[in-house]
């Protein structure tokens, strides 16, 4: 079963507007969430993270919001730029593999396309 | 550049064969993770090593094994390869092995099993 879900395979946004990418999770053990960005032929690049003790974390144009009661997080990109066109992955960790390990559980990604 | 190096970039082999993928973590990172990205499954955690010791296993097949050497580089061994093993294999590293760590990914090795 998918413990981290990104229900929108793709999203198209006009340059300069806000991009909102969503992610839902089911495992209550998750206590740390990350967003990664991936270009073709490259590995995932870390963008921003949030601990479950917070409900918001901001870094420049990127803000992540966490709603623990709804088991939902979102990534806001403002303003959206052409270079933001990529696949965005939501990931979660929380010791689900035991031993204090933090192998990440990923969603399947959302392909963000920024239109000029 | 994440600082994580994976070799080779591409690997083409036949069913039944064995291959070894190599990963050098970022300088100073003690933990190495292996992930598999296939078309239908997305990125899946395979195994984690911390300072030479296995820390956790995820969705890793028994035909696959890994190790981390004293210089902290890691190798993922895939044997008795099947067509379904064709995928991108990513290595990631982090400073420590505990939770709430940022993992930095290499560019991946694309494995094609023919």
């Amino acid at each position: 079963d998918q413990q981290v879900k990104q229900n929108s395979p793709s999203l198209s946004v006009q340059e300069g507007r806000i991009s909102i990418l969503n992610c839902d999770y089911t495992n209550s053990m998750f206590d740390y969430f990350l967003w990664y960005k991936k270009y073709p032929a490259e590995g995932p690049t870390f963008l921003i993270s949030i601990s479950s003790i917070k409900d918001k974390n901001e870094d420049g144009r990127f803000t992540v919001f966490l709603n623990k009661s709804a088991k939902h997080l979102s990534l806001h990109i403002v303003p959206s730029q052409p270079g933001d066109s990529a696949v965005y992955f939501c990931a979660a960790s929380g010791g689900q593999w035991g031993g204090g390990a933090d192998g990440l559980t990923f969603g399947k990604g959302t392909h963000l396309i920024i239109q000029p | 550049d994440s600082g994580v190096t994976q070799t080779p970039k591409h690997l083409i082999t036949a069913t039944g064969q064995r291959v070894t993928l190599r990963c050098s973590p970022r300088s100073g990172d003690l933990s190495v993770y292996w992930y598999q990205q296939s078309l239908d499954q997305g990125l899946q955690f395979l195994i984690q090593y911390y300072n030479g010791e296995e820390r956790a296993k995820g969705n890793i097949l028994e035909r696959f094994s890994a190790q981390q050497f004293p210089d902290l580089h890691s190798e993922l061994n895939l044997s008795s390869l099947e067509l379904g093993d064709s995928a991108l294999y990513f290595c990631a590293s982090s400073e420590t092995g505990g939770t709430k760590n940022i993992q930095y990914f290499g560019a991946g090795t694309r494995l094609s099993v023919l």
Side-chain angles (χ1 to χ4, degrees), chain A residues 9-96:
Chain A
S10 67
L11 176 67
S12 185
V13 174
Q14 217 165 1
E15 183 180 355
R17 307 292 281 266
I18 182 170
S19 294
I20 300 175
L21 295 97
N22 293 303
C23 177
D24 297 294
Y25 63 96
T26 57
N27 192 332
S28 300
M29 287 182 70
F30 292 150
D31 61 2
Y32 190 59
F33 303 89
L34 308 91
W35 284 94
Y36 284 85
K37 171 179 173 179
K38 187 180 180 304
Y39 294 118
E42 294 184 12
T45 301
F46 170 73
L47 267 181
I48 192 168
S49 63
I50 187 166
S51 169
S52 60
I53 61 172
K54 295 188 173 183
D55 54 20
K56 177 182 172 181
N57 188 26
E58 200 169 344
D59 183 0
R61 296 186 299 114
F62 302 93
T63 303
V64 56
F65 295 91
L66 175 62
N67 182 333
K68 277 178 59 180
S69 60
K71 292 190 174 70
H72 176 84
L73 60 155
S74 61
L75 174 68
H76 293 210
I77 307 173
V78 184
S80 300
Q81 299 174 352
D84 296 331
S85 293
V87 178
Y88 288 77
F89 290 97
C90 171
S93 73
Q96 62 268 34

Side-chain angles (χ1 to χ4, degrees), chain B residues 41-58:
Chain B
Q41 291 295 327
L43 271 154
Q44 301 241 304
F45 169 64
L46 295 178
I47 195 165
Q48 177 192 2
Y49 275 80
Y50 173 71
N51 204 19
E53 300 288 327
E54 181 184 301
R55 176 63 70 94
K57 278 186 173 178

Side-chain angles (χ1 to χ4, degrees), chain B:
Chain B
D1 184 357
S2 67
V4 179
T5 304
Q6 287 188 249
T7 56
K9 283 190 167 33
H10 302 278
L11 204 45
I12 302 173
T13 188
T15 54
Q17 295 298 304
R18 172 189 166 96
V19 296
T20 297
L21 313 184
R22 184 187 167 103
C23 170
S24 294
R26 295 187 320 154
S27 177
D29 283 358
L30 297 176
S31 204
V32 169
Y33 311 77
W34 287 97
Y35 293 85
Q36 178 193 57
Q37 185 182 25
S38 56
L39 275 173
D40 55 343
Q41 291 295 327
L43 271 154
Q44 301 241 304
F45 169 64
L46 295 178
I47 195 165
Q48 177 192 2
Y49 275 80
Y50 173 71
N51 204 19
E53 300 288 327
E54 181 184 301
R55 176 63 70 94
K57 278 186 173 178
N59 303 305
I60 190 166
L61 299 172
E62 284 193 14
R63 300 183 284 109
F64 296 0
S65 64
Q67 52 186 327
Q68 186 179 27
F69 294 87
D71 67 352
L72 301 177
H73 92 271
S74 177
E75 292 180 357
L76 179 67
N77 300 297
L78 315 177
S79 61
S80 302
L81 285 167
E82 301 175 359
L83 295 177
D85 298 327
S86 295
L88 266 169
Y89 290 85
F90 288 104
C91 167
S93 72
S94 69
E95 198 172 342
T96 65
T99 57
K100 299 188 176 61
N101 272 281
I102 296 169
Q103 296 178 27
Y104 297 90
F105 283 75
T109 293
R110 180 174 292 281
L111 174 66
S112 298
V113 182
L114 304 178

